[in-house]
Amino acid sequence: MGRWPGQLIDRLDFYHAQAKKRILEFRDIESEAERYAEESYDRRGQWFNPDTDDPASSAEAAWDDGITYYGLLEDLRKQMILSIAAGMYHERDKQFRDWLDRELGHNFSLDKLRPDLWKQDIGTLFDMLDSWGWDLRAEGFHDTIDSCRLIVNVYKHGHGTSLNQLKERFPQYLRSFGGSGSFGWDYVHYNQLEVGEEALTRFQEAFRNFWKYVPARTIAGDNTPVPTWFEKALTRKPRDKEKPIAKGAL
């Protein structure tokens, strides 16, 4: 493993460690919600009229305030975990393309190749590496990273192909409304996405193993077979610059 992937692993470890510290702030939201309910009850007491108001109603309203506050904190915790997962995945995706960019630059013209390289989806790039003898999909870390990809897509886009694939391949990340085979499981909504803190550790380990697997150099060279989009990018002729209109031509 080269020095550059090693730096990425160090960066990934730092990101994960700092993210866990931030999530720790949400570990005791039950106590925080109880304090909020007590404060709500105290606030209501300032305007309490014993002649007209019911103490039980005030207590119940304060309890409801605490439940609502707990729900908001829990939603925020879940959103933070999903945001961290998205950050981990998108950072790996960019750095992976950047690595390919650097490595292919040893043998090919990046002026022609780079625009097409960066717009290919990740599966297309894996297909290319597979044809060169580097089968990422066969490695143990791939399914974990792919589950992260689907989770991030569902988090970002909601309903769609990624949600259906997540249900079929990684249903453990979807909260079931009634269990397998029930009506609630036949129809899946994106708000059933359920990703816990422990998943971040699995993702981090998978990304670490991914970078450990990266070879020092690709095997791509002048005689290496390349996919059609790759060949077209290298053989594409530059666009002719527009010629200035001569004075008096209009």
Side-chain angles (χ1 to χ4, degrees):
M1 181 179 67
R3 178 185 177 188
W4 190 63
Q7 292 174 338
L8 293 181
I9 290 177
D10 291 341
R11 182 172 177 171
L12 174 66
D13 290 346
F14 175 82
Y15 184 90
H16 180 248
Q18 293 302 311
K20 289 183 65 176
K21 288 183 179 180
R22 304 303 183 266
I23 296 174
L24 280 174
E25 299 174 7
F26 292 89
R27 287 285 174 84
D28 196 22
I29 61 176
E30 290 186 4
S31 297
E32 191 171 345
E34 289 177 2
R35 289 193 298 270
Y36 186 85
E38 292 172 358
E39 293 170 358
S40 175
Y41 184 76
D42 291 340
R43 288 194 299 269
R44 293 174 185 278
Q46 297 176 12
W47 298 281
F48 181 77
N49 186 337
D51 296 328
T52 59
D53 296 335
D54 181 9
S57 297
S58 297
E60 184 177 353
W63 176 256
D64 289 340
D65 288 343
I67 293 176
T68 299
Y69 189 72
Y70 176 89
L72 292 172
L73 287 176
E74 178 66 11
D75 286 344
L76 185 58
R77 184 186 71 85
K78 292 178 180 178
Q79 291 294 321
M80 176 177 286
I81 291 174
L82 288 169
S83 295
I84 292 169
M88 293 171 72
Y89 182 81
H90 289 311
E91 181 68 10
R92 192 294 304 252
D93 187 65
K94 288 187 293 185
Q95 296 294 356
F96 171 61
R97 294 170 192 272
D98 198 21
W99 173 78
L100 273 178
D101 188 296
R102 295 184 187 204
E103 292 302 311
L104 294 175
H106 295 302
N107 301 94
F108 304 99
S109 171
L110 287 179
D111 290 339
K112 296 181 178 180
L113 182 59
R114 178 174 288 148
D116 288 69
L117 176 66
W118 280 82
K119 71 180 182 182
Q120 302 302 317
D121 64 63
I122 195 71
T124 300
L125 296 178
F126 283 2
D127 288 341
M128 178 180 69
L129 293 176
D130 187 12
S131 69
W132 296 346
W134 191 38
D135 187 4
L136 280 163
R137 294 185 179 94
E139 298 303 312
F141 53 74
H142 176 264
D143 279 354
T144 301
I145 292 178
D146 210 38
S147 70
C148 184
R149 175 184 67 85
L150 294 174
I151 287 168
V152 171
N153 284 343
V154 173
Y155 172 54
K156 182 178 180 181
H157 301 293
H159 290 291
T161 303
S162 291
L163 179 59
N164 295 331
Q165 290 182 3
L166 192 67
K167 173 189 171 183
E168 295 299 324
R169 299 176 56 201
F170 309 104
Q172 65 269 29
Y173 294 114
L174 292 168
R175 184 176 67 257
S176 173
F177 293 160
S180 178
S182 70
F183 175 78
W185 193 240
D186 291 337
Y187 174 76
V188 178
H189 195 279
Y190 67 83
N191 62 13
Q192 291 175 248
L193 191 61
E194 191 80 27
V195 181
E197 181 183 344
E198 69 284 351
L200 297 179
T201 301
R202 289 196 295 270
F203 298 155
Q204 185 238 9
E205 187 63 27
F207 289 134
R208 291 183 98 260
N209 289 334
F210 171 87
W211 286 118
K212 288 179 180 179
Y213 185 71
V214 170
R217 290 287 299 272
T218 65
I219 63 171
D222 295 336
N223 297 321
T224 302
V226 295
T228 302
W229 65 265
F230 194 113
E231 185 176 0
K232 286 183 177 180
L234 293 177
T235 57
R236 183 184 299 120
K237 295 181 179 179
R239 294 181 179 178
D240 294 333
K241 295 183 178 179
E242 294 182 2
K243 298 180 180 180
I245 300 176
K247 293 183 178 180
L250 297 179

